[in-house]
Amino acid sequence: MFKEKFNEGIISARDFNREDIEYILNQARVMVHNDKSSDLLKGKILATLFFEPSTRTRLSFESAMHRLGGRVIGFSSAKVSSIKKGESIADTIRTVENYSDCIVIRHPLEGAAKLAAKFAKIPIINAGSGSGEHPTQALLDLLTITEEGKKLDGLNLGIMGDLKYGRTVHSLAILLSNYDVNIYFISPKELMLRNRDKEFLRQRQVKYKEVEKYREILDVLDVLYVTRIQKERFADVEEYDRVKGFYIFTNEDLKVTKDNFKIMHPLPRVSEISAEVDSSSKAIYFKQTYYGIPMRKAILAELLSF
Ligand code: NCD
């Protein structure tokens, strides 16, 4: 059962098998079709600890919790928490667990959520751990793809941009390794998927190809998932300057895509998709932000209801 398996929370996409994914997608679909507020989580408190900036992830978790009748406490910047005074993650978690029933954490360290789960007696949800993972984003991405009429088996998916530092990319590729997909990883050489991620995909016998120029394969794609170059992760500004603006997807590009092609982005966007694309019915990145609500409602309901 999902609830028992994930009683420590949602830490990594690697913990999900196909059955787990299908289960939580189905639970989220129930939430899509039942958009009303409820009091399922009345009396429960969610703590959102955001040590890095966020708009969609934090607000959709908070909105999901409110819509289920629960309450939310937390902070949206490391500057206003005692981390600023030198407190460790472990001590923060051992404190906040006394004030809440579940903790959502975003932190610049790759192993932060895992570490938090080690110390916590309540479920931890990884809302982004450095360049590592962002599993709930990947789950809502799969919900978006399937709710927009596509099957995961047989999907031709392009993932473009910062594949090295982009945590949403890592979780998405890992989840999709449970399906029979063809993945095209599109990036400048400097930002290719790291070896450890490729090794994982090879072990799972995922069919993937690495390319630098998206125009070469655009016509075969069912979905293109674009990501931002993660400026904040670069040790060297000059290295960032060399790759920024590498891709700019425009209306001209849309012309060669399949009729039922969709373009996605976890957002925030910088310049990698031109604003002119927004009005196309193929652009579904704002719909994608909506799917954060049913997916996060489903996750919170699983972890917190009796
Ligand atoms: C992403 C993140 O924080 O990893 N945003 C999100 O949660 N939707 C993507 C990004 O910052 O580029």
Side-chain angles (χ1 to χ4, degrees):
M1 273 297 289
F2 190 94
K3 192 178 166 64
E4 280 81 54
K5 177 166 173 184
F6 292 94
N7 67 345
E8 286 190 357
I10 310 286
I11 308 300
S12 166
R14 291 179 188 233
D15 300 329
F16 283 77
N17 60 31
R18 187 168 168 134
E19 203 185 323
D20 302 324
I21 299 169
E22 290 299 321
Y23 176 80
I24 201 69
L25 285 176
N26 278 328
Q27 296 302 103
R29 285 179 196 123
V30 173
M31 298 296 184
V32 171
H33 298 292
N34 179 10
D35 221 5
K36 301 214 173 56
S37 294
S38 75
D39 57 7
L40 188 72
L41 298 185
K42 194 165 176 228
K44 300 282 183 184
I45 297 177
L46 178 71
T48 54
L49 312 187
F50 279 68
F51 297 94
E52 279 192 342
S54 171
T55 299
R56 281 148 288 269
T57 305
R58 185 173 64 83
L59 294 180
S60 67
F61 264 114
E62 296 193 357
S63 174
M65 188 64 181
H66 286 300
R67 284 168 199 234
L68 291 171
R71 294 183 198 206
V72 183
I73 58 170
F75 52 79
S76 54
S77 159
K79 290 197 196 84
V80 297
S81 78
S82 282
I83 291 279
K84 187 85 180 141
K85 301 180 189 164
E87 186 167 61
S88 68
I89 295 181
D91 288 2
T92 303
I93 295 296
R94 284 187 287 214
T95 302
V96 176
E97 69 179 355
N98 294 311
Y99 308 153
S100 59
D101 302 291
C102 178
I103 295 174
V104 178
I105 182 170
R106 168 171 288 188
H107 196 281
L109 274 182
E110 274 209 38
K114 200 169 175 188
L115 185 73
K118 208 172 122 193
F119 291 101
K121 291 191 241 8
I122 60 174
I124 299 289
I125 300 176
N126 181 1
S129 45
S131 309
E133 278 215 50
H134 191 351
T136 68
Q137 175 70 41
L139 287 167
L140 82 85
D141 295 336
L142 295 195
L143 180 66
T144 308
I145 295 170
T146 54
E147 283 296 284
E148 293 301 311
K150 307 221 173 281
K151 292 221 169 359
L152 298 176
D153 284 321
L155 190 76
N156 293 303
L157 173 76
I159 306 184
M160 177 162 104
D162 190 342
L163 312 182
K164 180 177 179 187
Y165 299 117
R167 54 195 175 198
T168 68
V169 169
H170 305 147
S171 294
L172 181 61
I174 294 167
L175 285 187
L176 283 170
S177 71
N178 290 286
Y179 295 85
D180 181 21
V181 286
N182 297 306
I183 309 181
Y184 296 86
F185 290 113
I186 310 154
S187 71
K189 293 233 160 19
E190 298 90 328
L191 298 178
M192 276 161 60
L193 206 62
R194 292 173 297 190
N195 281 332
R196 61 168 194 221
D197 296 309
K198 285 194 264 193
E199 185 55 36
F200 178 85
L201 298 178
R202 278 197 293 269
Q203 274 169 17
R204 295 269 185 113
Q205 296 173 344
V206 176
K207 289 171 271 170
Y208 73 85
K209 231 174 144 169
E210 295 179 285
V211 296
E212 210 181 11
K213 299 194 173 76
Y214 65 94
R215 292 198 178 100
E216 286 170 6
I217 47 107
L218 194 51
D219 59 338
V220 306
L221 298 181
D222 301 308
V223 174
L224 177 62
Y225 186 96
V226 184
T227 62
R228 165 183 77 90
I229 311 279
Q230 309 279 301
K231 183 178 183 184
E232 67 277 27
R233 310 280 178 224
F234 283 75
D236 176 0
V237 191
E238 278 174 31
E239 202 191 315
Y240 171 74
D241 284 338
R242 268 202 302 277
V243 287
K244 74 166 187 218
F246 198 88
Y247 298 118
I248 300 176
F249 191 97
T250 63
N251 271 348
E252 203 49 36
D253 292 316
L254 276 181
K255 287 186 187 155
V256 302
T257 60
K258 290 181 183 172
D259 287 346
N260 56 0
F261 168 85
K262 301 287 180 208
I263 181 164
M264 297 173 63
H265 193 309
L267 302 179
R269 154 180 60 181
V270 184
S271 58
E272 52 281 353
I273 302 178
S274 169
E276 65 183 17
V277 176
D278 298 0
S279 53
S280 166
S281 59
K282 295 180 175 183
I284 57 167
Y285 27 90
F286 291 108
K287 271 192 191 167
Q288 196 179 344
T289 65
Y290 157 74
Y291 287 112
I293 297 290
M295 179 47 76
R296 288 173 172 136
K297 277 170 80 178
I299 291 169
L300 292 172
E302 276 307 306
L303 299 183
L304 285 171
S305 64
F306 294 107

